Amino acid sequence: MLADHVRKKLRGREQETAPAEKRRRRTDVRLALPALLVWGAAVAGAWLTPLMLALLCSGLLVLAVVLLARAARCKKFVAQRRSFLTTTAVALVLAASAAAHSAVLSSQRHDGPLAEAVAAGDSVVAIVEIAGSPHALTLPGQAGTPERWSVAARTEEVTANGNVISTRAELVVMGGRGWDNVVPGQLVRTAGKLRPPEPGQQETAVLAASMAPGAAAADGVGADAAPAGEVMAKELRGRYVAAASFLAADPRGLLPGMVTGDTSALDEGLNTAMKTVGMTHLTAVSGANCSLVLGALLMAARSLRVPRIPAAAMALAGLGMFVVLVGPDASVLRAALMGSIAIASLAGGRIGRGLSFLCLAVMGLLLIDPGLATSFGFLLSVLATLGIIVLGSRIVDWTPAIIPRWAAAALAVPLSAQLLCGPVIVLLQPQFSTYSLLANVIAAPLVAPVTLLGTAAVPLVAWVPWLATALIAVAGTFSGGVAGTARTAAGLPGASLPWPEGAFGVLTMVLLSGLSLAALWGAVRPRQLLRLILGVHARTVSLLDTADNRLWAFTKPPRQHEPGQRRRTLPPGGT
């Protein structure tokens, strides 16, 4: 009796928790509208004048107050409708905050003495703080060491036409020799000519430096005034490139790029092959790298029986050191933030909330830096993550049970990311990479060993060189496989096909992505596809029959008496 009672009670609990688990796994889209509003306001900030942005902020705040007042006054509203009004009002307030931040940045671009110097193209002497890692500027077909570099910076003091302008403005410095050695946080003095940025960019100006970076102070003090951590990280990256010099040509240049984002030794032919087959994301520190590092650290901490919250804290600390190691660029910080939110969701035991955490990451990043709204790199990162969250899990669920889940995931992750990123990629580069999916699926198992073993070898280069050399040799072998995959796929016939440019190219790629997703669903679910086809056919036949009957009834001539037939005459009194 007692056993039966306990069994029934457990069965009842399972039936109660199953719907709750299903609801918890359901995609939560409540934060999608706030994220879209904040993104739209940030995009407006890149194009509108300060006056227009002020009017936009006022309008958003007024509308938010109206919605809050309506939600509070109308007690008859159901809870869901009141929650929708409140969420929309909060979204409008966040959008107004993003627009206000954009207005401040826009005022620096359009007003003030620095904006006048930029518009006039004046030659200036500037003291700037380095805000990112240098990036090589290479021309197509150029080989050897790059001669020009670009680096993000913030102004401290600008001297133009004898006037000293003290302001904090974002700009991009383009210079030659010496600019490849600067590190984030360093304060340098330089001279050059200002010119306006490209439309839609958030930077105030572009400074074409005519001299190498020098000491910020007139007496020479401060020439090396850079954070010690950044200097050590740059030295480690340099040692890492030197330690990988014993590898073959392709892995020698590709391994540092896949681990630290340093592509200075990457062969131009391999770089072109990776662009042809859509594998250049492997040479940039992205969310995938951060996810691998975070996952490995979290698993290591949990294997030592560390509780969930302290394990997450340790993983996040390791992620912070990884960010310092590769350089705190905007793309790296963006990837680290998204990875941190994912770890926070795992530490809190939340599942099925991937879209919500992505929206939180988008809103947080845009409120901090509205300039990301017009960045194609940011857009591609968000679309790739969105594809993995929304489509990736569904593609895995579609696959038959006979296929292992790891194999299904190996196909679902690159396919889902490519389906959503394809329309944006053809806008930037109007070509279709025929073997992109196949190349990325083949290279996927090789990326994790390269990232984990290669990252572990970076600090060991200075402490235990022989162990670092062994790890580099193993990681280099896997990176050689990635390079071989890229070169082989790029050499196949029809590896890169031309694609229409502009809006028509984007629309056709959207159509192709939709058809590809439908074809995949039909291939893995043939019974459902056949049932759908038969149902659509039956419905179409029914609609055609109904339309034919109505048309015949409408056009049928009235019935008339035919000649030669006599009508029946009833006798008197007959009925």
Side-chain angles (χ1 to χ4, degrees):
M1 295 291 294
L2 180 60
D4 293 339
H5 175 71
V6 172
R7 191 179 299 109
K8 292 180 180 178
K9 190 173 182 179
L10 290 176
R11 187 181 299 113
R13 289 183 177 178
E14 291 177 357
Q15 294 176 355
E16 291 177 359
T17 56
E21 183 71 14
K22 184 176 180 180
R23 288 193 302 269
R24 191 168 58 168
R25 289 181 179 272
R26 188 179 302 168
T27 303
D28 190 351
V29 298
R30 289 176 293 179
L31 293 179
L33 178 61
L36 290 175
L37 289 175
V38 172
W39 200 325
V43 170
W47 299 94
L48 299 180
T49 62
L51 177 60
M52 296 298 295
L53 284 173
L55 295 176
L56 177 62
C57 293
S58 302
L60 292 174
L61 291 176
V62 169
L63 185 56
V65 171
V66 171
L67 291 179
L68 287 175
R70 183 171 177 79
R73 184 174 62 253
C74 300
K75 306 258 183 216
K76 62 181 181 180
F77 281 174
V78 295
Q80 293 180 351
R81 190 172 181 183
R82 185 180 300 172
S83 175
F84 173 76
L85 291 175
T86 305
T87 303
T88 306
V90 174
L92 292 172
V93 173
L94 294 177
S97 301
H101 193 178
S102 295
V104 174
L105 299 178
S106 179
S107 63
Q108 293 180 344
R109 296 194 307 267
H110 295 89
D111 303 323
L114 182 58
E116 296 176 358
V118 172
D122 292 338
S123 297
V124 299
V125 176
I127 298 177
V128 299
E129 178 186 356
I130 305 301
S133 300
H135 295 279
L137 299 176
T138 57
L139 298 176
Q142 179 181 351
T145 304
E147 299 180 356
R148 301 284 295 175
W149 301 81
S150 69
V151 59
R154 285 183 292 266
T155 61
E156 294 285 340
E157 183 180 286
V158 178
T159 303
N161 299 323
N163 299 322
V164 178
I165 306 170
S166 298
T167 182
R168 295 281 288 180
E170 306 286 338
L171 53 81
V172 175
V173 180
M174 294 185 178
R177 182 177 301 177
W179 286 101
D180 56 327
N181 296 320
V182 296
V183 297
Q186 186 176 3
L187 203 64
V188 300
R189 177 189 296 270
T190 187
K193 192 171 184 179
L194 294 174
R195 61 181 176 86
E198 296 294 331
Q201 292 184 348
Q202 284 288 329
E203 290 83 8
T204 303
V206 175
L207 176 61
S210 57
M211 60 176 286
D219 56 0
V221 179
D224 297 323
E230 296 291 346
V231 175
M232 292 179 59
K234 184 175 181 62
E235 183 179 355
L236 276 177
R237 292 195 295 269
R239 288 189 177 185
Y240 189 81
V241 174
S245 60
F246 70 93
L247 298 173
D250 282 352
R252 181 196 311 155
L254 183 58
L255 180 61
M258 295 184 65
V259 175
T260 65
D262 186 352
T263 58
S264 58
L266 186 62
D267 180 72
E268 183 64 26
L270 178 58
N271 188 31
T272 303
M274 297 186 72
K275 288 181 179 179
T276 302
V277 296
M279 297 176 64
T280 52
H281 60 91
L282 297 178
T283 58
V285 178
S286 61
N289 301 76
C290 293
S291 298
L292 288 171
V293 173
L294 282 169
L297 294 175
L298 188 60
M299 290 178 61
R302 293 292 285 168
S303 64
L304 298 176
R305 299 184 182 277
V306 179
R308 187 169 54 194
I309 300 299
M314 294 173 59
L316 292 177
L319 175 64
M321 291 187 289
F322 177 74
V323 169
V324 174
L325 174 65
V326 301
D329 289 343
S331 59
V332 177
L333 294 175
R334 177 177 69 242
L337 178 59
M338 291 188 177
S340 302
I341 291 178
I343 286 295
S345 66
L346 293 176
R350 303 281 183 174
I351 55 178
R353 299 287 183 86
L355 183 59
S356 298
F357 292 118
L358 175 62
C359 292
L360 286 175
V362 169
M363 288 187 291
L365 289 169
L366 290 176
L367 289 173
I368 295 173
D369 184 8
L372 292 175
T374 56
S375 170
F376 281 104
F378 179 67
L379 177 60
L380 289 172
S381 177
V382 172
L383 288 177
T385 308
L386 179 64
I388 295 173
I389 291 173
V390 177
L391 298 179
S393 59
R394 287 170 171 78
I395 294 175
V396 172
D397 293 338
W398 291 348
T399 55
I402 192 175
I403 299 178
R405 292 190 66 85
W406 62 266
L411 173 65
V413 170
L415 176 60
S416 57
Q418 186 173 349
L419 288 177
L420 266 68
C421 293
V424 180
I425 293 176
V426 299
L427 187 63
L428 299 174
Q429 188 176 3
Q431 69 177 28
F432 178 72
S433 300
T434 309
Y435 309 108
S436 176
L437 177 61
L438 178 61
N440 280 278
V441 169
I442 295 175
L446 308 176
V447 174
V450 172
T451 302
L452 298 179
L453 296 177
T455 303
V458 175
L460 297 177
V461 169
W463 300 337
V464 191
W466 64 268
L467 182 56
T469 302
L471 294 178
I472 288 174
V474 179
T477 302
F478 287 101
S479 66
V482 175
T485 301
R487 287 189 180 275
T488 301
L492 294 176
S496 178
L497 301 177
W499 198 265
E501 299 181 4
F504 180 72
V506 173
L507 293 177
T508 52
M509 182 55 70
V510 170
L511 179 60
L512 179 61
S513 298
L515 292 176
S516 301
L517 187 62
L520 176 64
W521 180 82
V524 299
R525 294 292 180 89
R527 293 183 179 179
Q528 287 82 347
L529 177 62
L530 181 60
R531 191 181 302 116
L532 177 62
I533 293 175
L534 293 177
V536 172
H537 177 265
R539 182 63 176 171
T540 304
V541 171
S542 177
L543 291 175
L544 291 176
D545 289 342
T546 303
D548 184 63
N549 291 335
R550 291 182 178 179
L551 181 62
W552 181 80
F554 180 76
T555 60
K556 181 181 69 173
R559 187 173 182 181
Q560 298 178 355
H561 175 71
E562 297 181 3
Q565 293 184 355
R566 297 181 60 184
R567 293 189 179 183
R568 182 182 176 185
T569 304
L570 297 177
T575 59

